[in-house]
Amino acid sequence: MSEVTTLEKPDLKIDQDEGNFSYPEDYAFDAGTGLTEKTIDYICDVKEDPDWVREFRKKALRIFREKPLPTHWASKDLENIHFDDFRYYLSKGAKPKRTWDEVPDDVKRTFERLGIPEKERAFLAGVEAQFDSEAAYSNIKKAVAEQGVIFVGSREGLKEHPEIFRKWFGKVIPTADNKFSALNSAVFSGGSFIYVPKGVKVKHPLQAYFRINAENFGQFERTLIIVDEGAELTYMEGCTAPKFDSVTLHSAVVELVAMKGAKLQYITVQNWSPNVFNLVTKRGLAHEESEIKWIDCNIGSRLTMKYPGVILKGRKARGEVLSIALANNGQHQDTGAKMIHAADETTSNIISKSISIGSGRATYRGLVHIPRHLKGCKNNTECDALLINTESRTDTYPAIVTRGEGNSVQHEASVSKVSAEQIFYMQQRGLSEGQAMSLSVNGFVNELVRQFPMEYSVELKRLIDLEMEGSVG
Amino acid sequence: MKNSLEIKGLKASINGTEILHGLNLTIPKGEVHAIMGKNGSGKSTLAKVMAGHPDYEVTGGDVLLDGKTILGLDPDVRAREGLFLAFQYPSEIPGVTIANFMRAALNARRPEGQEVDAVEYYNELYKKMDLLKIDRSFTSRAVNDGFSGGEKKKNEILQMAMLEPKYAVLDETDSGLDIDALKIVSHGVNSLRGPKMGILVITHYQRLLDYIVPDVVHVMVDGRIVKSGSKELALEMEKKGYDWVENLATA
């Protein structure tokens, strides 16, 4: 049977479980497994990278090889990543599409399966959706383009807008920041490049949906967003991945730049399948009186290590991380936030909520740094953990370094449990055990979720419901 | 028996210790029964066993709701069958408003995809709150979170009013209430009394029964009902003390 006829069967390989679906692999380009200088050359040739990018990648490969795994402080589970078993480049072989009609059917079906409402699908005119390592679909909403906003894949960004791209690329997160930022720098492919010109306020959030669709395929998006003086942008990145038997690696790098007085909000709902290593570096650079806000929800993956940060470089800059982590059986959510105060009167706010279920483990790592010479800086950190049963585990490692006078930090942490009595009480009102747990968890995150955009709070609630239903025996 | 909540020879234990030693009790729909008993007599155990608390093991007897056994059913199934328990110590559910909690409870009683209409729901809710003389702002608070004893009990009665159970068990609803709260809660229960509901009031003190006047009073000693009678029995109990019935139990 040919590929085409199998594709026409609508129920082919599609599992009833949400997000648990896949399509036949049909990749025009494949770099093979393993990572050598030849792999890099292959990627550069296929992508027609300029020379400076080829050099950048090769230098990154050397750094990646030199750097040890951070197992002295992080999970030993990292040792289970076999870097030689991955394919480091895979492309749909298609140029980014411009119209909805040109989008391949299996891609459209994925959107359907992700439960994106009809209305929102129509809104896909403004969506940059990334499937595998290249943008399979990209159509900038007319109004956005008219405002002078650049919203393209990172490949197009570095080729067509080098004057902006090169200025900031790798500047917020240097290649050598950590082993995984080096890995990403060596093999990056896909991701978004966005530039919002001075004073432009982008009304609708720009969105990207990510999905992995090949076994043993690591996905290495590279996103760079620059919001110029006085401009405003909200960017949403959501992802679900099909379930596969063997381990999958995802290691993205996201760099944000907010120029003077700019406002930038970056929202993620991460729902990778439970075999994915999700090792992501995300950081923003906030200039004078600008504001960078990370909203970060981690529901899926086997191990997530992600600590979105903001470097508060200009006076009165403001940074914020609001995060929710849900660690179900077999999962480890190792997340947190970094706030590097580097100017007077800078303020930062961290609110972290984690939920551990069964053998799930949630870890919070925070870093707040306020050096001696600064004045009038403020940080507020709150981290709350909820435990669903006695097996589960939660750890908090806050590191707050404050020197100098006139700077203030506030730190609150709490651990609570969903007790058997609480579940019994709710069951006595007619809710099933799963519904009861789901309600408790939603209650726990409620206050935080209220600060999210409407559509994301609905999606998040749906994901929590699915997780909790699945966690009851 | 149709139209009654029947407890037949019920034996139950916790951690291997038997608390209920073959208890018999029948509450017909439309009646209010009261159980009086000292601390440790097994009153609260009875309430929890009926509701299906996982800590207790039923070792004998049966509990029948309109003729059908409810033993072995999950607590939520029993609730949806029409059994309501007003808790002595209601749990707190941070972040979940009373309005959302009760809506979820009502939706759990309906087929999937046929959720209660929001407008209808709030109309009904406000009607019941007016009946129970509860302030409108109450339902936007998180369930029992930081509530006073009186507020918690008021919340229990409001839920009872909204869920319209066939049988309601009120476990020491008067404990920790001052006289004003007691009056409000009693007023609530009295306004819910009617031919469609059977109510079992569990209490330590006769005082509550001045406000919720029962049709039948039962006295519980050491996991059994030892004496039943009209509302006057409560007054007699108050006067003669529990020693009087304890002697009956051993006699």
Side-chain angles (χ1 to χ4, degrees), chain A residues 419-433 435 439-440 442-444 446 450, chain B residues 52-53 76 79-80 83-85 87 91-96 101 104-105 108-109 144 156 159:
Chain A
S419 66
E421 285 307 313
Q422 197 181 357
I423 296 297
F424 176 66
Y425 180 71
M426 288 190 267
Q427 279 190 281
Q428 212 299 306
R429 297 304 180 249
L431 299 168
S432 70
E433 195 182 353
Q435 287 169 330
L439 203 59
S440 293
N442 274 302
F444 174 70
N446 198 14
R450 247 185 292 208
Chain B
H53 195 286
D76 51 308
R80 294 196 296 269
L83 181 70
F84 181 88
L85 171 61
F87 284 61
S91 291
E92 299 180 0
I93 315 170
V96 179
F101 181 53
R109 286 162 168 76
N144 299 322
E156 294 295 285
Q159 293 181 53

Side-chain angles (χ1 to χ4, degrees), chain A residues 331-349:
Chain A
Q331 290 184 297
H332 184 180
Q333 305 285 8
D334 194 324
T335 60
K338 287 182 186 178
M339 291 294 174
I340 312 298
H341 291 253
D344 289 342
E345 295 173 74
T346 47
T347 53
S348 60
N349 185 36

Side-chain angles (χ1 to χ4, degrees), chain B residues 6-246:
Chain B
E6 282 178 281
I7 302 156
K8 286 181 175 170
L10 187 64
K11 290 183 180 179
S13 50
I14 185 165
N15 299 326
T17 306
E18 191 172 277
I19 310 286
L20 302 180
H21 309 291
L23 186 138
N24 295 297
L25 187 64
T26 300
I27 302 137
K29 218 173 259 177
E31 292 187 9
V32 174
H33 287 221
I35 287 185
M36 297 185 73
K38 286 207 296 194
N39 285 336
S41 59
K43 305 188 300 292
S44 286
T45 296
L46 174 64
K48 285 179 181 169
V49 168
M50 280 196 279
H53 195 286
D55 287 354
Y56 296 88
E57 193 194 345
V58 174
T59 51
D62 208 347
V63 179
L64 302 149
L65 197 149
D66 288 342
K68 279 197 296 185
T69 183
I70 55 169
L71 292 183
L73 301 177
D74 282 342
D76 51 308
V77 181
R78 299 182 194 206
R80 294 196 296 269
E81 289 289 323
L83 181 70
F84 181 88
L85 171 61
F87 284 61
Q88 184 178 6
Y89 304 109
S91 291
E92 299 180 0
I93 315 170
V96 179
T97 64
I98 292 175
N100 282 339
F101 181 53
M102 268 190 279
R103 185 138 69 137
L106 285 170
N107 283 331
R109 286 162 168 76
R110 301 166 70 111
E112 214 176 308
Q114 294 181 36
E115 276 81 26
V116 283
D117 177 75
V119 177
E120 241 170 72
Y121 168 69
Y122 277 99
N123 281 340
E124 186 64 20
L125 180 60
Y126 291 147
K127 212 172 78 187
K128 296 282 163 66
M129 289 171 78
D130 290 347
L131 179 77
L132 302 176
K133 296 175 182 160
I134 293 172
D135 192 81
R136 290 276 159 95
S137 65
F138 190 65
T139 51
S140 56
R141 294 171 63 187
V143 180
N144 299 322
D145 193 7
F147 281 23
S148 69
E151 286 171 330
K152 282 184 180 174
K153 298 301 165 76
K154 252 195 268 183
N155 186 21
E156 294 295 285
I157 302 306
L158 176 61
Q159 293 181 53
M160 177 176 152
M162 286 301 287
L163 299 175
E164 297 178 334
K166 292 176 189 157
Y167 300 96
V169 179
L170 279 56
D171 187 12
E172 307 240 8
T173 295
D174 53 331
S175 70
L177 294 192
D178 59 32
I179 195 72
D180 291 331
L182 187 69
K183 279 179 181 169
I184 292 169
V185 166
S186 305
H187 162 77
V189 176
N190 286 328
S191 43
L192 297 173
R193 277 177 95 150
K196 287 182 182 167
M197 202 187 293
I199 299 175
L200 178 64
V201 179
I202 293 172
T203 184
H204 184 86
Y205 299 105
Q206 187 273 335
R207 185 182 69 159
L208 176 68
L209 306 180
D210 287 342
Y211 297 94
I212 304 172
V213 181
D215 298 302
V216 183
V217 174
H218 308 274
V219 180
M220 188 166 173
V221 175
D222 192 24
R224 286 186 196 88
I225 301 295
V226 295
K227 194 168 175 59
S228 299
S230 65
K231 64 180 187 227
E232 281 76 25
L233 177 60
L235 294 168
E236 200 176 348
M237 283 288 309
E238 184 82 348
K239 215 161 55 191
K240 296 187 179 169
Y242 280 105
D243 290 345
W244 168 60
V245 281
E246 271 168 25

